[in-house]
Amino acid sequence: MASATLRRVKDRVLARLGLSADAILAFAGLACFLATCLLLGRPLSWAWALLPGLCFALLLEGLEIVDHYGARGFLALGPAGIADVVFRHCRDVLVINGGPLLVWAVAAAVE
């Protein structure tokens, strides 16, 4: 039931926004970073503002892995299979956090 719900939500968001999944992930990461800085009243050069986006990305990818494989199925893949799945999902974590990391680096360099 939960996996079908996650897939439906992903499909609806992609259909409504008309953007690629990578673009949506990049915008979500930037939104998380900017919202953290805005809500806490910190400058864009505040490195701790990157942490909520990283946590969001890891949670999102963890849910996706559980959705695709299930906890038992994931653990049954063995070390090589687990490493392969984690490596593939690391790309999305990088996509989500790449934009905020660039904004932070530029803001820190300007300061």
Side-chain angles (χ1 to χ4, degrees):
M1 182 172 142
S3 66
T5 303
L6 180 61
R7 285 190 200 119
R8 277 194 310 243
V9 169
K10 283 175 57 177
D11 291 342
R12 284 184 184 170
V13 169
L14 289 172
R16 285 187 187 233
L17 296 179
L19 298 171
S20 71
D22 287 345
I24 293 170
L25 291 175
F27 285 131
L30 281 169
C32 191
F33 175 73
L34 295 174
T36 301
C37 290
L38 181 67
L39 291 174
L40 296 178
R42 300 292 185 148
L44 295 177
S45 60
W46 189 51
W48 287 102
L50 296 168
L51 190 60
L54 179 62
C55 292
F56 169 71
L58 293 173
L59 175 69
L60 189 63
E61 292 308 308
L63 288 173
E64 196 168 313
I65 287 171
V66 170
D67 180 45
H68 287 145
Y69 300 97
R72 287 186 181 167
F74 178 69
L75 294 175
L77 292 174
I82 290 174
D84 181 53
V85 170
V86 169
F87 180 73
R88 280 187 277 128
H89 285 272
C90 281
R91 180 189 170 280
D92 287 346
V93 173
L94 292 174
V95 168
I96 291 172
N97 291 291
L101 188 61
L102 287 173
V103 171
W104 171 81
V106 169
V110 170
E111 228 178 52

